[in-house]
Amino acid sequence: MSIESALEKLSLGDEPALVEDVKKNGIEKSGLAANIHALAGKAESKDEAVALAHLALVKALAEGAPEAQAVTKMCLAACLEQAGSKSKAVQKAGSDAAFAICTNVNPFAMKSLLPIIFAKLPVEQKWQVRELSLKCLGLFGESAPKQLSNALPLVVPEVTACMWDTKKQIKKAASEAMREALKVIGNKDIEHMTPKILTAITKPKEVPEIMHEMAGVTFVQSVESPALAMVVPLLLRGLREKTTATKRQSAVIINNMSKLVDNPVDAAPFLPLLLPALETNATSIPDPEARGITEKAVEQMLRLKGLSDAAQNTRGDTSKLTEEFKKAFGAKDVDGGLEMTIAHAASVSTCMMDLNFMEDVQWKKNILPTFAAYYDAAAAEANIEKVRVEAEKMMEVVEEEDEEDDAEELCNCKFTLAYGTKILLHNTKMRLLRGKKYGLLGGNDSGKTTLMRSIANNQVEGFPDSNDVRTVFVEADIQGEQSHLSCIEYIFVDPKIQALGCTKEQVREMLAAVGFVPDGKAKPDHAVSTLSGGWRMKLALARAMLQKADILLMDEPTNHLDVINVAWVKKYLNSLTNVTAIIVSHDSGLLNDCCTNILQIDNLRLHTYKGNLDEFVKIKPSARAYFSFTESKLKFRFPQPGPIEGVKSKGKALMKMSKCTFTYPVNDTPTLFDISVQVSLSSRVACVGENGAGKSTMIKLLVGEIEPQTGSVWKHPNARIAYVAQHAFHHIEAHLTKTPNEYIRWRYANQGEDKESLVKVTMQFSEEELKLQKTPYQIQFTDEETGKITKVKKMVTELVGGRKTNKQKDYEYEIKYSGSTVDSGEYLPAKTLKKMGWEKGMKAVDMKIAQRAGLYVRPLSTKNVEQHLEDCGLDKEFGTHYRMSALSGGQKVKVVLAAAMWNQPHILILDEPTNYLDRESLGALAGAIETFDGGVVIISHNNEFCSKLCPETWVMDAGHLETKGDAEWMLKQDTKIDDQQQLTEVTDAAGNVTKLKGQKKKLSKKEEKQLVKKIKLKLKSGEELDSDEEEFAIEKDLI
């Protein structure tokens, strides 16, 4: 029975025989190809019995005759349409047949079903038809995940429109389809963001929040069309938001992501959407900085558009392969079944090209069965191979030829390199040849040192293992804990030298070869701490030479070297004919005399050029800027501390410890013994010692984080202290959703009071103090008119926060008595309050007053905080627009440092700053400390850093302190604070100018007598006193 006649009187149960006929005779002989449109028409019939029978046949063909799918898929529209039938049985049969077609079609042919499904999604269609169509899309997530991923640029816009539908069934089906689509993005960088992207589509108010999180994503993987399909709708919405911050954030993300698009064709579908929105913002955003960022994104997108226009785009274009199939099979003018077969094969093969499935076996498996009804297997296979070869030619990308060289290839790899959330290099190639000397160039923060460290630490993907290619990073920095070792011991204890089995005699010989001899300037048996920077570099070179390196990685090898030693390094490098070197240097002479090639980091790629620096500069004249120290050096600037009431000399102590001994509760032996130190505005102290010697414990005592068992600790009540501890991040860990700018403004929002002031043991009341506070204390009052003395027992419930100076020049604090209805205005002297158990309460009031004094000079505005963060080394891009959760460790430390420095401290205490700041930042920190007018205490193992800055050294050794160097230095700094330029006015965030009184000049005895006489005359004649006279009269008890 032919299909044509069967379709006239088809009934349920006939389908198995017809499926067998199609399998046996193929789509042409069985008549299926000629009658497929008739089958589709009957499947869409209003007659229930007719519809059910024909839908059952469609389902049976989809499931039982996969070789017929080229024509069977034509029935999908009819199946979807029956979802709107009045008969529930027909509805179910229609959905079953539609699901059968979608799940059994060749995964590479799923794209050919999309136009049919999309045609059923507009709102004019019945909602049941639309719902079934969306469910079909969701099925591809399981049956064809790779192919759905490839089709996301087409799928996402269609499904997104349905997610806004008023019909809840459509909303639900669309959300499910989108959820399945999100699973197949294939980009690990944004996988964790997919639920939030889904939320952003239906809840626009969430967009600014999600944009913040997107800004924190580090894109390491190449950005391809599936990831773009998901992110672009969100970015478009961000560009159209009202707030400038969100528009700016979107432009930053677009700029960053577009740099990681390897194939410009991936971006082509999205450029017409993003470019107009970006160009509109680039002209309409009022904030010039945000406008500049948007303009950069426009430039980047225009660059991408140029590349995309130039690329040969075969993506999703079946027409080219349709022609190739017709040509290969000699079927130029065909119609009917063969035409449908060729169209199906072109659809499958185009998708295989998109996904780079180009092996002959892959094409044979997926396309050969399609032609079984028309050609014998051998002929069909040969023709398919012809088409595959032509398809490969279409995909060829002309690449630059590698340099011809006979030298041995040490490395040829492709990798991506990131530092924190910043991409430094993306999908870039590096090829190194034996014996070549490569100068590595790049702008500031481009990743030169990070690349070399990553190579040395085996962290570069594809780089040969260090066991196969021995790689040595030559650096002159000596760890503090090893500074007591002799030069020979220093090299000998190195784990890499130990692993090679080198003897001390071999070490001595190598050191002698570079100039370490018993009667020379640098002696092999002397401690490495005695070496200058130049000899340290030669020591590092000797260690590298012993390791017989294949690749030397050299970071500024001529730093600290004199002319003779620079010449020695050049001669040494040129003698290494069998060793490869990568050199980062600002010494243009070294790069000219030694380099055979130049590696340049530019636009996230590593570019290789033949020749030395001069040859490279001829090609790229702008490269000269790399050697200008002024352009490449980072600078920090700290706010100056300002005057302290009652302190006239920079040498006067602001913090003191006297005969302090401290034992941790778990220990029997004290950690610190009888420690006495002091710190003033002129202090520059390095605190050094071995690990566990007690350095950090002593600093914690000094700042009041812990209390000594014996001895005393004192701090000037008006001094502000900034303490950046070893574990500096604990303050900000609870605020990672804030930007650094928001965090500082939150921290100091209460009139300059620091909310993150440590909850110190020294500020917590002991049981004894609490008992004293609850015990009534006898207070003596004197009546000013009668002179009568009254004694009353009272309890103080709290210190209100006020403070004033009495006639005896002592502080009195504003208090509230127990049972009193008066909120403020009553004061008690510090001596009395101390006896009543309120000493720590007075310290807390002092701290608040000192902190508020720091705020007055500089209002807490977004602009001021942004500038302050930049002064502390954090670019405004990260300071104002990135949340702290997205920052690297080094950037977080700059936030902690900036936050500590905001209220203009008088003393800065840094515990191990060399642990968390890179070399460049450390240099910037040293420069800031040199110009800082406050006192500085540094705990560090870095001799070079300390010796440059600190004339006084506190050496801790097993809990005992010894002061070295110029311990009396601070006393010589008798610079008077009176001589400092005084602040005369302050401008607040709104631009209001407030005039400030200068510090009063101290009157001589003669001037004082004259003023007293003048005031008495004024009082006698009833004249009003001016504010200064009135203040003086109150102070001298004249009124």
Side-chain angles (χ1 to χ4, degrees):
M1 181 173 65
S2 72
I3 283 185
E4 188 176 0
S5 58
L7 291 180
E8 292 299 322
K9 48 186 178 178
L10 190 70
S11 59
L12 284 170
D14 291 345
E15 56 273 9
L18 292 170
V19 169
E20 281 306 313
D21 183 30
V22 171
K23 286 171 77 174
K24 184 181 175 184
N25 296 311
I27 59 171
E28 196 66 44
K29 282 184 186 173
S30 67
L32 180 62
N35 291 283
I36 194 66
H37 296 297
L39 174 58
K42 296 268 180 120
E44 203 175 335
S45 174
K46 302 285 182 193
D47 185 301
E48 184 174 327
V50 173
L52 287 172
H54 289 82
L55 287 168
L57 177 57
V58 171
K59 180 175 182 285
L61 286 167
E63 291 174 344
E67 59 274 19
Q69 61 184 268
V71 292
T72 312
K73 66 184 182 183
M74 301 295 176
C75 298
L76 179 59
C79 300
L80 294 172
E81 200 59 44
Q82 288 293 28
S85 171
K86 290 176 182 175
S87 163
K88 288 200 172 174
V90 172
Q91 285 178 18
K92 186 175 186 314
S95 64
D96 287 348
F99 291 162
I101 291 171
C102 292
T103 50
N104 290 289
V105 76
N106 184 318
F108 291 103
M110 63 80 64
K111 235 177 180 179
S112 65
L113 301 182
L114 294 181
I116 302 168
I117 294 171
F118 292 163
K120 300 296 179 185
L121 290 179
V123 287
E124 296 80 21
Q125 299 285 342
K126 291 178 182 175
W127 71 263
Q128 296 93 337
V129 176
R130 299 172 69 208
E131 183 184 28
L132 179 57
S133 302
L134 288 164
K135 285 180 178 176
C136 286
L137 283 176
L139 292 174
F140 296 134
E142 189 100 8
S143 63
K146 285 192 184 76
Q147 294 78 4
L148 175 60
S149 174
N150 174 246
L152 283 182
L154 303 171
V155 173
V156 170
E158 298 286 344
V159 179
T160 303
C162 295
M163 287 176 74
W164 284 83
D165 206 86
T166 51
K167 199 83 180 166
K168 66 179 180 183
Q169 291 91 335
I170 302 298
K171 255 187 181 176
K172 185 182 175 188
S175 295
E176 286 302 318
M178 187 64 88
R179 201 167 279 115
E180 285 301 317
L182 284 164
K183 289 178 187 173
V184 300
I185 291 175
N187 190 301
K188 289 188 172 66
D189 300 329
I190 56 170
E191 270 176 2
H192 68 288
M193 290 290 298
T194 51
K196 289 187 174 148
I197 293 170
L198 195 63
T199 305
I201 296 168
T202 52
K203 296 179 183 173
K205 285 184 180 176
E206 301 282 327
V207 170
E209 180 67 24
I210 292 163
M211 293 306 294
H212 260 302
E213 294 200 34
M214 276 292 293
V217 172
T218 306
F219 284 95
V220 177
Q221 201 175 328
S222 293
V223 175
E224 295 171 339
S225 59
L228 287 168
M230 279 302 167
V231 174
V232 164
L234 176 63
L235 294 172
L236 262 176
R237 191 155 283 175
L239 290 172
R240 290 165 183 162
E241 277 286 310
K242 287 181 183 175
T243 59
T244 298
T246 308
K247 286 179 178 179
R248 182 190 182 284
Q249 201 79 275
S250 303
V252 169
I253 297 166
I254 289 167
N255 193 18
N256 291 342
M257 281 187 78
S258 61
K259 288 176 184 172
L260 305 182
V261 175
D262 281 345
N263 187 349
V265 172
D266 280 322
F270 310 104
L271 294 170
L273 298 169
L274 290 174
L275 251 176
L278 273 170
E279 285 171 336
T280 301
N281 285 0
T283 55
S284 63
I285 294 177
D287 179 9
E289 192 270 342
R291 204 165 56 240
I293 293 290
T294 309
E295 284 164 1
K296 280 184 188 171
V298 170
E299 281 173 32
Q300 180 62 21
M301 294 300 275
L302 288 170
R303 184 186 73 85
L304 203 55
K305 185 176 185 299
L307 293 170
S308 172
D309 292 344
Q312 185 182 11
N313 190 357
T314 57
R315 183 155 300 172
D317 181 5
T318 58
S319 62
K320 288 177 182 169
L321 286 202
T322 300
E323 288 307 311
E324 289 299 329
F325 274 113
K326 285 182 176 180
K327 186 174 156 188
F329 281 94
K332 279 285 179 188
D333 302 308
V334 291
D335 55 12
L338 184 54
E339 186 181 25
M340 284 188 266
T341 298
I342 287 175
H344 182 74
S347 180
V348 170
S349 51
T350 303
C351 188
M352 291 177 80
M353 285 173 72
D354 291 349
L355 294 169
N356 210 22
F357 278 66
M358 294 306 294
E359 296 299 322
D360 51 1
V361 289
Q362 293 168 335
W363 279 54
K364 180 183 172 183
K365 177 187 169 186
N366 285 287
I367 301 169
L368 188 59
T370 310
F371 288 100
Y374 297 96
Y375 302 95
D376 70 78
E381 189 177 336
N383 291 335
I384 290 166
E385 179 59 16
K386 285 179 190 172
V387 177
R388 189 191 68 80
V389 170
E390 289 303 316
E392 274 192 329
K393 288 177 186 174
M394 292 179 199
M395 294 174 68
E396 277 177 14
V397 177
V398 181
E399 291 192 4
E400 295 173 41
E401 285 186 26
D402 283 330
E403 59 182 283
E404 291 297 319
D405 209 302
D406 297 334
E408 179 195 346
E409 188 176 82
L410 291 180
C411 155
N412 192 349
C413 59
K414 196 172 188 179
F415 63 96
T416 289
L417 183 70
Y419 180 77
T421 59
K422 186 178 181 183
I423 296 292
L424 301 170
L425 290 164
H426 177 72
N427 259 17
T428 194
K429 279 186 175 181
M430 178 166 65
R431 182 170 181 254
L432 302 177
L433 302 175
R434 187 177 288 282
K436 300 288 181 186
K437 309 295 181 291
Y438 297 88
L440 180 58
L441 305 182
N444 207 23
D445 284 341
S446 60
K448 302 184 293 292
T449 303
T450 305
L451 173 60
M452 294 212 295
R453 280 197 187 282
S454 300
I455 292 171
N457 297 335
N458 260 351
Q459 292 169 333
V460 169
E461 187 185 347
F463 198 89
D465 189 85
S466 53
N467 296 325
D468 303 324
V469 176
R470 197 170 289 162
T471 307
V472 180
F473 189 20
V474 183
E475 54 182 337
D477 291 342
I478 290 167
Q479 297 303 311
E481 56 268 24
Q482 295 184 321
S483 59
H484 64 284
L485 297 174
S486 71
C487 297
I488 288 175
E489 283 292 331
Y490 177 75
I491 291 179
F492 186 69
V493 299
D494 187 286
K496 289 178 180 175
I497 300 295
Q498 291 280 309
L500 290 169
C502 293
T503 63
K504 284 194 178 179
E505 202 48 51
Q506 286 173 308
V507 173
R508 190 178 288 277
E509 284 172 18
M510 186 55 74
L511 282 171
V514 297
F516 287 81
V517 288
D519 57 348
K521 283 184 182 176
K523 299 170 176 60
D525 295 303
H526 281 200
V528 290
S529 57
T530 63
L531 298 178
S532 66
W535 281 102
R536 287 182 186 197
M537 180 52 77
K538 293 183 88 170
L539 183 71
L541 277 169
R543 182 170 58 180
M545 288 157 73
L546 267 172
Q547 292 176 57
K548 297 184 172 64
D550 292 305
I551 299 175
L552 280 177
L553 306 168
M554 310 182 83
D555 193 2
E556 300 287 359
T558 56
N559 268 9
H560 314 294
L561 296 184
D562 56 27
V563 177
I564 295 166
N565 279 318
V566 167
W568 179 88
V569 169
K570 288 179 184 176
K571 188 178 177 185
Y572 169 69
L573 280 171
N574 289 329
S575 71
L576 299 173
T577 53
N578 214 30
V579 177
T580 301
I582 300 179
I583 306 160
V584 171
S585 178
H586 281 95
D587 183 345
S588 51
L590 177 77
L591 297 177
N592 267 327
D593 296 345
C594 298
C595 290
T596 57
N597 300 70
I598 297 293
L599 295 172
Q600 186 201 19
I601 297 175
D602 186 37
N603 203 23
L604 309 184
R605 293 283 191 275
L606 196 60
H607 305 277
T608 307
Y609 298 85
K610 279 187 175 179
N612 62 8
L613 180 66
D614 282 346
E615 294 300 313
F616 172 66
V617 170
K618 285 175 190 172
I619 304 166
K620 290 247 180 164
S622 58
R624 281 285 173 203
Y626 295 148
F627 304 95
S628 167
F629 281 101
T630 53
E631 286 180 41
S632 65
K633 287 293 174 186
L634 186 65
K635 284 185 172 64
F636 289 0
R637 283 178 294 278
F638 289 158
Q640 297 305 339
I644 308 181
E645 187 185 338
V647 176
K648 303 296 179 189
S649 166
K650 288 188 82 172
K652 184 174 179 179
L654 298 181
M655 304 175 84
K656 281 183 188 174
M657 283 171 64
S658 179
K659 300 190 174 179
C660 290
T661 297
F662 176 79
T663 310
Y664 280 105
V666 292
N667 295 346
D668 298 325
T669 312
T671 303
L672 299 174
F673 300 87
D674 196 33
I675 304 289
S676 296
V677 293
Q678 66 178 43
V679 185
S680 73
L681 281 171
S682 60
S683 291
R684 289 290 185 278
V685 181
C687 183
V688 297
E690 293 180 7
N691 289 340
K695 304 183 297 296
S696 294
T697 305
M698 180 181 77
I699 295 301
K700 285 178 182 177
L701 271 181
L702 187 63
V703 298
E705 231 181 281
I706 51 177
E707 273 188 303
Q709 280 81 15
T710 61
S712 62
V713 180
W714 173 86
K715 177 181 86 72
H716 192 286
N718 293 330
R720 295 184 293 278
I721 313 298
Y723 173 45
V724 180
Q726 255 180 314
H727 308 291
F729 298 157
H730 69 278
H731 280 326
I732 64 172
E733 289 303 325
H735 303 281
L736 295 178
T737 56
K738 293 184 175 77
T739 65
N741 197 310
E742 288 167 349
Y743 167 67
I744 291 178
R745 284 185 285 121
W746 167 85
R747 181 165 162 176
Y748 291 99
N750 188 18
Q751 295 183 314
E753 185 182 324
D754 186 357
K755 288 180 192 163
E756 295 276 17
S757 288
L758 291 168
V759 181
K760 299 171 184 171
V761 174
T762 49
M763 301 301 263
Q764 315 247 325
F765 295 118
S766 64
E767 285 184 25
E768 191 181 330
E769 286 169 323
L770 289 169
K771 190 179 174 185
L772 278 172
Q773 289 172 17
K774 289 171 185 173
T775 307
Y777 184 82
Q778 187 170 287
I779 298 167
Q780 187 172 295
F781 294 98
T782 305
D783 190 302
E784 289 185 8
E785 291 181 13
T786 62
K788 185 182 175 184
I789 295 171
T790 312
K791 292 181 180 179
V792 184
K793 285 196 170 184
K794 287 198 172 198
M795 282 191 301
V796 171
T797 55
E798 65 173 306
L799 302 190
V800 180
R803 188 184 73 185
K804 67 180 185 179
T805 310
N806 60 21
K807 293 176 187 176
Q808 288 77 36
K809 300 290 176 71
D810 292 326
Y811 283 134
E812 289 187 355
Y813 293 83
E814 192 175 5
I815 52 92
K816 184 179 179 182
Y817 289 116
S818 177
S820 171
T821 55
V822 181
D823 283 341
S824 60
E826 298 184 86
Y827 287 80
L828 279 178
K831 289 175 185 173
T832 305
L833 284 167
K834 188 175 180 181
K835 290 173 187 172
M836 295 174 78
W838 285 97
E839 185 179 6
K840 288 172 182 171
M842 292 187 287
K843 282 184 181 177
V845 171
D846 292 338
M847 185 189 288
K848 286 179 183 179
I849 291 170
Q851 287 171 350
R852 286 173 190 170
L855 179 78
Y856 188 51
V857 180
R858 192 169 40 163
L860 194 66
S861 66
T862 306
K863 208 76 182 164
N864 279 345
V865 174
E866 186 177 89
Q867 185 58 53
H868 174 69
L869 283 161
E870 280 208 294
D871 287 345
C872 292
L874 191 68
D875 187 80
K876 61 186 169 192
E877 178 66 39
F878 299 105
T880 304
H881 304 287
Y882 272 60
R883 290 190 175 176
M884 290 194 284
S885 56
L887 301 184
S888 68
Q891 289 167 329
K892 283 179 183 171
V893 168
K894 288 171 184 175
V895 175
V896 174
L897 184 63
M901 294 301 293
W902 171 259
N903 67 356
Q904 297 166 279
H906 298 102
I907 306 290
L908 172 60
I909 299 173
L910 299 169
D911 193 347
E912 292 287 9
T914 50
N915 278 2
Y916 43 69
L917 288 176
D918 59 32
R919 199 167 184 172
E920 191 174 23
S921 297
L922 209 55
L925 177 64
I929 288 170
E930 281 179 339
T931 58
F932 179 56
D933 280 346
V936 180
V937 178
I938 303 165
I939 298 177
S940 181
H941 285 303
N942 189 313
N943 268 345
E944 187 183 348
F945 183 69
C946 290
S947 58
K948 180 183 177 185
L949 294 168
C950 306
E952 183 184 354
T953 308
W954 297 344
V955 182
M956 287 297 297
D957 185 12
H960 295 275
L961 181 74
E962 181 189 354
T963 57
K964 281 189 175 179
D966 192 357
E968 297 299 307
W969 178 76
M970 68 170 76
L971 300 176
K972 296 173 188 173
Q973 301 295 305
D974 204 18
T975 311
K976 297 293 179 185
I977 292 174
D978 294 349
D979 296 340
Q980 291 182 342
Q981 188 178 356
Q982 289 190 31
L983 202 68
T984 58
E985 61 183 38
V986 163
T987 307
D988 68 15
N992 304 310
V993 177
T994 307
K995 296 287 180 185
L996 298 182
K997 289 183 182 179
Q999 283 186 307
K1000 288 181 198 168
K1001 182 188 167 192
K1002 193 171 179 181
L1003 300 175
S1004 65
K1005 284 188 178 179
K1006 187 178 179 183
E1007 287 170 330
E1008 203 172 288
K1009 272 186 179 180
Q1010 286 173 342
L1011 186 55
V1012 169
K1013 192 175 179 183
K1014 181 182 175 184
I1015 288 169
K1016 280 182 176 178
L1017 283 168
K1018 275 193 171 186
L1019 289 170
K1020 195 172 181 181
S1021 61
E1023 285 181 56
E1024 276 193 30
L1025 303 179
D1026 66 30
S1027 57
D1028 286 343
E1029 289 169 342
E1030 190 175 0
E1031 206 175 308
F1032 180 80
I1034 292 167
E1035 191 185 326
K1036 296 296 177 184
D1037 210 13
L1038 298 174
I1039 51 173

